[in-house]
Amino acid sequence: MRKPSLLERLRAKKHSPRPVIGVAWYDEVNWAMVKATALDAYRFENSFAEWLTMATQTLANLKRSGTDAVPVPIIAAELIAWCRAHGVLVIHTQEC
């Protein structure tokens, strides 16, 4: 079996689906509720405005890198209830 040429590989890459990820998205009230409940609240930004700036920049960076980043609205009460029901701690994570 022959190896595809560079042109063939580039064409295939161009037509392959872009990765899609969900990014937690808060309004000010829900952000404050999650932060107040989080075990590691000190890792959150100091204010919602700072979080919004960071989150907006992160979305733009992901899109620039070729990832379809989709904001997913988070309802704090539902997130907290789910975490409690499943024995999961509410913690801050930032993978990007």
Side-chain angles (χ1 to χ4, degrees):
M1 175 174 234
R2 78 174 182 83
K3 181 178 176 181
S5 70
L6 176 60
L7 183 58
E8 290 169 330
R9 290 191 313 255
L10 289 173
R11 282 185 182 146
K13 184 175 181 178
K14 183 178 179 180
H15 295 294
S16 63
R18 292 168 50 143
V20 178
I21 64 166
V23 177
W25 207 260
Y26 303 96
D27 61 21
E28 191 165 3
V29 170
N30 283 289
W31 178 84
M33 286 176 66
V34 171
K35 181 177 179 175
T37 308
L39 182 64
D40 58 350
Y42 63 90
R43 294 186 63 197
F44 280 67
E45 289 71 21
N46 292 322
S47 69
F48 175 76
E50 287 180 25
W51 173 83
L52 186 58
T53 298
M54 177 280 303
T56 303
Q57 289 173 349
T58 298
L59 274 181
N61 290 342
L62 287 166
K63 289 180 181 185
R64 255 193 312 281
S65 74
T67 300
D68 283 333
V70 179
V72 178
I74 300 298
I75 299 169
E78 292 178 7
L79 172 65
I80 294 163
W82 185 93
C83 288
R84 287 183 180 149
H86 291 87
V88 176
L89 298 173
V90 178
I91 60 170
H92 176 277
T93 60
Q94 185 173 349
E95 299 297 325
C96 302

